[in-house]
Amino acid sequence: MGAGCKGWKVDELLSLLQVADVKEVQVEALLELVQAALDGCVDDDPRYDCLVEIEDVLLAGRLPVDPLQAFRRRFPLSVRSDAELLEEEFHHSAKQLTDEEWQTSFYVDLVAALQDMNDDDLEEYLTARRQAVESALQGYRATSLTPSEVTAETWVGHRLLNQGLEAWLRALQRVTQDPDGEWEQALEEAEYGTRLLVAVQNLHQRVVSAQRK
């Protein structure tokens, strides 16, 4: 067998697949990564045919979801990817945030609304909040990343932000479906989502600080 594919480029692709929802990856960004991995990849490397199949679908402007998932399963990273480790780090850091760090005005306002508002005002408040979160989630998912922006940090931030907003939607839906019930689980969901969103901000600050050095 020849030299094979450029190992670090394949690892970069696999790192992305570890943390990304394949159905949401931008075709152009993924194509650039796949072509970089194929560059210099000899024909008898076992990964070559898989990468060519993936490239063909991408060149046609479609996402090769099944081939990508098969590629990830067949050729797992021999060590944990940077993206996977980074996501674990920031999930852990989100759990360690103090009350002062994670209790944002968005969360505090929800607690106050549950305690103080009458039924009609609470229903109006929850509807407005749910619409705001849904709008933020849809708007963010519609944002495209350029190939140069596909890094472990951007994809971990992407996952944490989505997870945080989705947790907030679940929290608001729980309250809406049972306005007179126990809200402990709803507040736990809201806390979890808020912690993740604060973790995203902390990740962004780390990236900005690193760029300034």
Side-chain angles (χ1 to χ4, degrees), residues 1-5 40-50 74-75:
M1 182 178 292
C5 297
C41 187
V42 296
D43 294 354
D44 59 351
D45 187 289
R47 297 166 294 189
Y48 180 83
D49 289 341
C50 295
R74 184 179 175 188
F75 303 106

Side-chain angles (χ1 to χ4, degrees), residues 4-59:
C5 297
K6 295 179 178 178
W8 67 277
K9 283 297 184 182
V10 177
D11 284 351
E12 185 176 345
L13 173 62
L14 287 169
S15 294
L16 170 64
L17 298 179
Q18 286 285 340
V19 298
D21 181 345
V22 174
K23 296 178 182 179
E24 294 182 8
V25 181
Q26 298 297 315
V27 169
E28 296 81 4
L30 185 57
L31 178 60
E32 183 168 301
L33 287 175
V34 170
Q35 289 179 330
L38 273 171
D39 182 28
C41 187
V42 296
D43 294 354
D44 59 351
D45 187 289
R47 297 166 294 189
Y48 180 83
D49 289 341
C50 295
L51 288 170
V52 169
E53 178 187 1
I54 290 169
E55 182 190 35
D56 288 343
V57 179
L58 290 169
L59 287 171

Side-chain angles (χ1 to χ4, degrees), residues 27-212:
V27 169
E28 296 81 4
L30 185 57
L31 178 60
E32 183 168 301
L33 287 175
V34 170
Q35 289 179 330
L38 273 171
D39 182 28
C41 187
V42 296
D43 294 354
D44 59 351
D45 187 289
R47 297 166 294 189
Y48 180 83
D49 289 341
C50 295
L51 288 170
V52 169
E53 178 187 1
I54 290 169
E55 182 190 35
D56 288 343
V57 179
L58 290 169
L59 287 171
R62 304 191 308 275
L63 275 174
V65 175
D66 291 339
L68 284 169
Q69 293 174 338
F71 182 75
R72 181 177 58 192
R73 290 192 299 268
R74 184 179 175 188
F75 303 106
L77 285 169
S78 57
V79 295
R80 296 180 66 189
S81 69
D82 290 344
E84 187 179 10
L85 291 171
L86 188 66
E87 182 178 11
E88 183 177 287
E89 175 191 348
F90 275 85
H91 265 286
H92 178 73
S93 70
K95 294 178 182 178
Q96 302 303 312
L97 292 170
T98 66
D99 289 348
E100 183 179 355
E101 290 171 327
W102 74 263
Q103 287 187 355
T104 63
S105 59
F106 204 80
Y107 177 86
V108 172
D109 286 349
L110 173 63
V111 175
L114 294 178
Q115 293 174 344
D116 303 332
M117 287 186 178
N118 61 44
D119 290 347
D120 291 340
D121 289 344
L122 180 58
E123 182 179 357
E124 182 178 349
Y125 169 86
L126 292 172
T127 298
R129 280 299 170 98
R130 190 168 60 252
Q131 290 174 346
V133 174
E134 288 173 345
S135 177
L137 187 58
Q138 292 170 2
Y140 181 74
R141 286 176 173 172
T143 302
S144 300
L145 289 175
T146 64
S148 63
E149 292 174 322
V150 179
T151 64
E153 289 79 9
T154 58
W155 278 108
V156 171
H158 171 88
R159 282 176 63 84
L160 293 176
L161 184 56
N162 273 274
Q163 291 166 9
L165 292 173
E166 287 169 355
W168 259 99
L169 278 181
R170 291 193 300 270
L172 295 170
Q173 287 165 356
R174 282 183 182 275
V175 177
T176 302
Q177 292 166 0
D178 189 13
D180 299 320
E182 296 293 331
W183 292 321
E184 182 178 351
Q185 287 186 320
L187 289 175
E188 287 176 354
E189 287 278 16
E191 175 181 340
Y192 174 67
T194 306
R195 285 178 176 274
L196 291 181
L197 295 177
V198 173
V200 173
Q201 295 173 359
N202 292 341
L203 173 58
H204 176 70
Q205 290 172 358
R206 177 191 290 189
V207 172
V208 171
S209 297
Q211 292 173 342
R212 289 173 178 170

